[in-house]
Amino acid sequence: MSVELLPALTFAELFPNGIERYAVGGLLIGVGTAVIYLGTGIIAGASTFLESTWSYASNLPRFNQPKYLGSRDWRIVFTLGIVLGAAVYAVVFQGGAWTTDVQWWRLLGGGVLVGIGTRVGKGCTSGHGVCGVGSVSETSLVNVATFMAVAIGTAQLVQALGVTP
Amino acid sequence: MSAKQDRHPAFMLVILVGGLIFGFGLGYSHMARPEVVLNFLQFEDLGLLFVMGGAAITTGIVFAVATTVLDRAPLTGRAYSRRLKSFDKNVLVGGVIFGVGWGVTGICPGAAYASLGIGNVTILWAIAGMFIGSYLQAFWRARSADAGATTAASD
């Protein structure tokens, strides 16, 4: 009997909230990417928005490359779509606003590193993690393996230092 | 270069609809909550594997079919391609820096935008940080380019 129970217990330990929300959410993220790709041929990542939007306010050459100037308008629309789509989820399923308990200095300091790292590393969780892995790109697979391993180590270190949340 | 004038009138609508589905998916998957990402990174709930895996498999199938069966995208005339970026040291350096940031915050760019959508105004700290970080790297790139040009000129 214990042998039969073991897989169920292990599954519940690994996935205490089940997998339905995760799998369906992931599928929808992929469908959103696919809609844009099939309609326009564009592979949309989320982090380029940070730089292409800076081009409206800064003369730094990095921001004013043709590929950013030519995409900054639709990247704003894409980002607004992400915000609104999540808001629809919140209204329909969440029953109102939800706010994090993660401390502000973690969000701000870590956010700076995310802004630097995603732009230096040529992509983020959606660009490398979803679209690059979906393209079986070796560059993206190496990038994802790198940020995943470092993120796991960092999060566990922060937790071990007693910072919660 | 991007030939904006070649865009079909429905271009922006399709971008918006794609973004809406993308953002709804981030909300539904709970990845828009930093705590859920941190729980994954701390091995307390591995469900996030299905978010990233499900999304990557979906796009992988669509990319593979489009690049072999279809020709050009109807709204732009762009040829379908895969996302293949060149590999260099920056891919690793950026991955390490992003990894530390993701591990500290539990948030990445797309999930941060979606987090705002689910009412998490506190995430504006992270979004502000991301804009600051993306500015800093562009500033440093410009400075090192200037330094390189000066060195070359004086040589």
Side-chain angles (χ1 to χ4, degrees):
Chain A
M1 188 182 105
S2 61
V3 176
E4 288 168 2
L5 273 176
L6 189 60
L9 281 173
T10 308
F11 183 85
E13 282 168 4
L14 295 176
F15 305 102
N17 295 300
I19 60 167
E20 185 266 356
R21 62 164 72 152
Y22 300 116
V24 172
L27 177 73
L28 288 171
I29 293 168
V31 169
T33 308
V35 165
I36 293 174
Y37 179 73
L38 290 174
T40 69
I42 291 170
I43 298 174
S47 64
T48 308
F49 163 79
L50 299 168
E51 287 193 292
S52 65
T53 303
W54 265 123
S55 73
Y56 287 104
S58 167
N59 290 324
L60 282 173
R62 168 79 184 174
F63 300 138
N64 290 277
Q65 306 172 60
K67 64 177 178 178
Y68 289 166
L69 298 177
S71 67
R72 60 185 185 179
D73 56 349
W74 71 255
R75 288 188 190 279
I76 289 176
V77 174
F78 177 51
T79 300
L80 284 177
I82 294 174
V83 175
L84 290 174
V88 170
Y89 164 79
V91 169
V92 176
F93 289 92
Q94 193 172 263
W98 175 93
T99 51
T100 185
D101 289 324
V102 175
Q103 298 169 68
W104 70 269
W105 58 270
R106 286 184 75 169
L107 297 174
L108 179 63
V112 172
L113 296 175
V114 171
I116 297 171
T118 56
R119 300 323 305 154
V120 170
K122 306 182 187 183
C124 59
T125 331
S126 60
H128 278 308
V130 175
C131 298
V133 170
S135 299
V136 204
S137 155
E138 287 179 23
T139 296
S140 292
L141 291 168
V142 170
N143 179 272
V144 172
T146 303
F147 77 63
M148 197 70 90
V150 172
I152 288 169
T154 302
Q156 305 221 357
L157 178 67
V158 171
Q159 185 185 35
L161 290 173
V163 182
T164 52
Chain B
M1 172 184 162
S2 70
K4 282 186 193 181
Q5 63 276 15
D6 291 344
R7 288 176 182 172
H8 188 276
F11 175 84
M12 283 298 184
L13 182 66
V14 166
I15 296 280
L16 180 66
V17 170
L20 284 168
I21 300 170
F22 191 99
F24 184 90
L26 276 165
Y28 195 92
S29 71
H30 286 57
M31 197 173 169
R33 302 185 179 193
E35 280 87 339
V36 172
V37 175
L38 293 174
N39 282 342
F40 165 73
L41 296 173
Q42 293 159 5
F43 298 151
E44 284 153 22
D45 181 347
L46 300 186
L48 218 69
L49 288 173
F50 283 86
V51 182
M52 295 181 62
I57 289 169
T58 306
T59 58
I61 293 170
V62 172
F63 289 0
V65 170
T67 49
T68 45
V69 177
L70 302 175
D71 186 21
R72 287 177 181 277
L75 301 184
T76 57
R78 285 167 73 130
Y80 290 112
S81 64
R82 294 193 296 152
R83 185 185 190 277
L84 302 174
K85 301 236 169 178
S86 59
F87 183 83
D88 56 42
K89 190 185 69 181
N90 281 343
V91 173
L92 289 175
V93 173
V96 169
I97 298 172
F98 172 42
V100 174
W102 200 39
V104 168
T105 58
I107 208 81
C108 55
Y113 315 149
S115 201
L116 192 59
I118 63 170
N120 185 16
V121 288
T122 314
I123 209 66
L124 286 169
W125 287 108
I127 294 176
M130 288 176 201
F131 272 109
I132 294 169
S134 65
Y135 186 88
L136 287 174
Q137 56 88 33
F139 182 75
W140 289 328
R141 283 180 203 260
R143 272 191 53 167
S144 58
D146 282 350
T150 312
T151 312
S154 62
D155 278 349

